[in-house]
Amino acid sequence: MSVAVCFCMTEAILTFSKDSSPFFCCTVQAKVRLHWVMQVLATIFGSIGLVFIVSSKNISESPHLTSWHSILGIGTAIAVGGQLLCGLCLLFPQLINTYSVARLRLYHATCGLLAYLMAMATVMLGLCSDWFTSQVNTVVWYLCIITLLIPALVIMNQVNSGYLSKKKIEV
């Protein structure tokens, strides 16, 4: 699940960045397709991780949803699923009767940022687990947290400067 969030989801969002993406020279349509593929991969990897965790909990007969990590993780999975549906509507706008694709794109970017930040918070809560803290020393733990915070700040800046800072949204 960490690969899904930390690599696939991060890279999917960064495909639209002019500064942070190796795909800066691609057309917008190519970036949209790459974004979609990476988000689908993130969803597949995340779903596989969820299946493994649920089966592990069932085999060990442990209770489900007993930590903040798991509760936020379920909320994140639901938010990502909603974002996938919204992304489908943007990929195929003829499927819905929308008055403004630009407004839907703004909502998708804003809610996508929220879903991404929820995913990063879920991973950070996983780093606070007893198992993880017993496996690494304090310096490595802080390096892991910083490694998660930096892309989150870059993506927040990207979405803010690309969508949210505009004074008037063209509809």
Side-chain angles (χ1 to χ4, degrees):
M1 293 178 98
S2 295
V3 169
V5 172
C6 297
F7 176 70
C8 293
M9 193 180 287
T10 302
E11 284 302 316
I13 298 169
L14 286 177
T15 56
F16 295 110
S17 173
K18 295 176 182 84
D19 303 322
S20 310
S21 176
F23 306 104
F24 65 91
C25 61
C26 294
T27 65
V28 173
Q29 192 65 17
K31 289 180 182 181
V32 167
R33 298 291 180 204
L34 185 61
H35 173 76
W36 212 161
V37 167
M38 294 298 284
Q39 287 293 55
V40 167
L41 284 174
T43 304
I44 290 170
F45 291 154
S47 300
I48 290 170
L50 185 62
V51 166
F52 276 109
I53 288 170
V54 168
S55 10
S56 172
K57 291 276 190 177
N58 287 340
I59 289 170
S60 67
E61 297 179 359
S62 299
H64 297 277
L65 301 174
T66 57
S67 67
W68 285 107
H69 171 75
S70 60
I71 293 169
L72 186 59
I74 290 297
T76 301
I78 292 168
V80 168
Q83 278 300 104
L84 273 175
L85 292 176
C86 186
L88 265 176
C89 294
L90 280 171
L91 198 57
F92 304 107
Q94 64 273 16
L95 293 177
I96 60 167
N97 294 327
T98 182
Y99 58 94
S100 173
V101 174
R103 188 171 297 269
L104 185 60
R105 190 175 294 124
L106 172 70
Y107 294 153
H108 180 65
T110 306
C111 294
L113 175 61
L114 181 63
Y116 179 75
L117 293 176
M118 286 173 65
M120 294 305 275
T122 303
V123 173
M124 286 183 198
L125 284 172
L127 295 180
C128 295
S129 69
D130 291 335
W131 175 83
F132 189 80
T133 53
S134 69
Q135 299 295 317
V136 298
N137 64 26
T138 307
V139 174
V140 173
W141 187 85
Y142 279 109
L143 285 174
C144 290
I145 292 291
I146 290 170
T147 304
L148 293 173
L149 284 175
I150 290 173
L153 292 172
V154 168
I155 288 174
M156 282 175 28
N157 182 46
Q158 173 187 330
V159 172
N160 186 33
S161 63
Y163 290 96
L164 304 179
S165 64
K166 294 181 181 174
K167 292 185 180 172
K168 182 177 178 184
I169 301 167
E170 299 167 11
V171 239

